[in-house]
Amino acid sequence: MINNTSFAKRALKRLTLFLVLGSTAVALLACSGGSRVRKPAELVAVTNQFDLAPVWSTSVGSSESFNFHPAVAGDSVYAASHRGNLAKIDLLTGKKIWEVSVPDRLSIGPGSDGRTTAVVTTKGTVYAYDDTGKPIWNVSVGSEVLTEPVVAGGVVVIRALDNRFIGLDAQTGVRKWSYQRQQAALSLRVGYGMLAIGNEVIVTGFSGGRFGMIAIANGGLVWETPISFPKGFSEIERLNDVTAKPSMDGDIICAVSYQGRVGCGQARTGNLIWFKDYSSYTGTAQSPDLVFSSNEKSHVTAFAVKDGAQAWENSQLTFRDVGEPMAVGKVVLMGDAQGYVHALSQAKGEMLARIRHDSSPITAAPIAVNGLILIQSQGGKLAAYSPK
């Protein structure tokens, strides 16, 4: 028999937490500061040591307050808006190849392998389109989805907010498998990023400070590793989720948890080489020698991949709410809440360049592909830049 009083209390706690968190972890940070004002740091003067020259730009529609990423497959970019606009764009020219209107609003961007492109509505319905933009199937997963689909190996992988992973046949939408995680008592109401490795596996974080690898073909758990453990007394203090997409370079994979730790380990086994106390909800980016992350204050830190020794920390972007980082060449790129894109030296952390993409937040990581840097803002501007 269910204890209705206990059940109601647990439900009230979860509802209260969701109201505190809002749709992103940023809301939690704002609330936790009490009356303290999180004033963004003034931009320091910088003489650009290189330029990100605009190649093309287009509008795909606003993502509102959600964190939309574009997807790249072959020579095409797939991007979407909160209102349900979905477009296939030529990577080199920015010309829209096709554009469709999804029947409902979206809370995340698309996933695509170039043959099947999938989006999920706010009501949990997955819509799939072929390479001409023709709708081929739709199916409900019965839960809200805040994580971009992964389309790989003939499977559309959906991660639902109720901790289910669902594998759908990319051509028919028929369910091939389902993997259910235990629902944590409290967890962040955000998208948990999934990193696809080839057509075989995905790596993703879980609540409770853990991350793991899941087989795309059958949904089997390959390995699971704790990177941190809950600490503190209150339920909010004990929140300890690996929400951001892990990063990978070579055979080393790194991840970071909110109110927990950052660490790196072997991709094949998940065994950690090192970890240290750190907190981030924007994730990690890697070079062969360093892993980069920013904390809730937007202080950007570099750690040595081999042993976790801190290489440098840059605090010039304090409270500018920087987004997900990307490491490319000799720089680390990340956007901020005012639409600026900052380039930091991987070696020393100094500011090397800055551009203004637009005036809306840039929360999604830039994408480096075919010599171009792709950036999508929450305002809907998608642009390609060429490093000069």
Side-chain angles (χ1 to χ4, degrees):
M1 177 179 295
I2 296 176
N3 185 318
N4 290 330
T5 301
S6 298
F7 180 82
K9 288 181 178 179
R10 291 196 300 270
L12 179 59
K13 288 179 180 178
R14 179 172 291 276
L15 176 60
T16 301
L17 177 66
F18 284 3
L19 291 174
V20 171
L21 294 177
S23 60
T24 67
V26 176
L28 175 61
L29 301 175
C31 291
S32 65
S35 60
R36 183 182 62 190
V37 177
R38 299 180 76 253
K39 183 179 179 181
E42 296 292 334
L43 293 175
V44 298
V46 58
T47 300
N48 284 358
Q49 299 185 29
F50 69 96
D51 191 23
L52 289 176
V55 177
W56 56 260
S57 69
T58 187
S59 177
V60 295
S62 171
S63 59
E64 305 289 337
S65 60
F66 296 98
N67 187 20
F68 276 51
H69 300 73
V72 177
D75 294 327
S76 300
V77 185
Y78 301 84
S81 74
H82 175 60
R83 291 185 178 274
N85 183 62
L86 172 65
K88 177 181 180 179
I89 300 163
D90 184 89
L91 174 62
L92 297 181
T93 67
K95 179 182 178 181
K96 290 182 180 178
I97 300 170
W98 51 256
E99 196 167 13
V100 299
S101 181
V102 182
D104 209 338
R105 292 178 180 252
L106 309 176
S107 54
I108 52 170
S112 182
D113 64 357
R115 295 179 297 276
T116 301
T117 300
V119 292
V120 191
T121 72
T122 55
K123 297 179 180 179
T125 300
V126 185
Y127 286 88
Y129 299 83
D130 67 13
D131 60 357
T132 68
K134 177 183 176 181
I136 52 177
W137 53 264
N138 66 81
V139 63
S140 174
V141 295
S143 175
E144 186 178 9
V145 176
L146 295 176
T147 301
E148 287 88 358
V150 166
V151 185
V155 179
V156 177
V157 181
I158 303 296
R159 179 173 185 163
L161 199 59
D162 61 5
N163 268 345
R164 283 180 302 141
F165 292 79
I166 302 164
L168 305 173
D169 186 278
Q171 296 302 311
T172 65
V174 172
R175 183 172 300 193
K176 302 183 69 172
W177 54 261
S178 179
Y179 169 59
Q180 176 73 60
R181 296 282 304 180
Q182 183 177 357
Q183 188 79 358
L186 295 172
S187 59
L188 296 174
R189 186 182 178 276
V190 295
Y192 286 65
M194 297 188 292
L195 172 68
I197 304 175
N199 290 321
E200 297 181 355
V201 296
I202 58 170
V203 180
T204 188
F206 306 124
S207 60
R210 309 177 77 86
F211 72 114
M213 180 179 285
I214 298 172
I216 292 175
N218 58 22
L221 184 65
V222 180
W223 54 255
E224 180 180 339
T225 297
I227 193 170
S228 59
F229 301 92
K231 296 183 295 184
F233 297 97
S234 73
E235 291 170 337
I236 290 181
E237 285 177 332
R238 293 178 61 79
L239 280 170
N240 184 231
D241 299 347
V242 181
T243 62
K245 182 189 300 183
S247 59
M248 182 174 173
D249 188 279
D251 62 350
I252 300 296
I253 196 162
C254 300
V256 63
S257 59
Y258 173 71
Q259 297 189 150
R261 292 170 175 166
V262 60
C264 295
Q266 298 290 336
R268 185 175 61 85
T269 63
N271 292 333
L272 292 181
I273 302 169
W274 61 266
F275 53 81
K276 59 173 47 184
D277 288 347
Y278 197 74
S279 177
S280 176
Y281 53 85
T282 57
T284 55
Q286 284 176 245
S287 70
D289 299 318
L290 296 170
V291 56
F292 312 94
S293 188
S294 63
N295 63 17
E296 293 90 342
K297 294 181 179 180
S298 292
H299 293 177
V300 186
T301 309
F303 303 94
V305 167
K306 64 179 181 180
D307 58 12
Q310 182 173 312
W312 52 260
E313 183 181 65
N314 186 311
S315 60
Q316 293 175 318
L317 302 175
T318 298
F319 295 143
R320 295 193 64 84
D321 292 333
V322 298
E324 300 171 358
M326 180 196 69
V328 59
K330 297 181 179 181
V331 301
V332 183
L333 294 175
M334 61 193 71
D336 71 15
Q338 296 180 10
Y340 289 95
V341 179
H342 308 276
L344 277 61
S345 163
Q346 290 186 10
K348 298 182 179 181
E350 73 266 34
M351 189 74 66
L352 298 181
R354 179 189 307 124
I355 65 168
R356 188 77 180 271
H357 176 74
D358 69 1
S359 59
S360 64
I362 301 170
T363 53
I367 297 174
V369 57
N370 291 354
L372 297 175
I373 306 295
L374 299 179
I375 298 171
Q376 181 176 345
S377 67
Q378 288 187 348
K381 179 181 178 180
L382 174 64
Y385 299 89
S386 176
K388 301 292 185 183

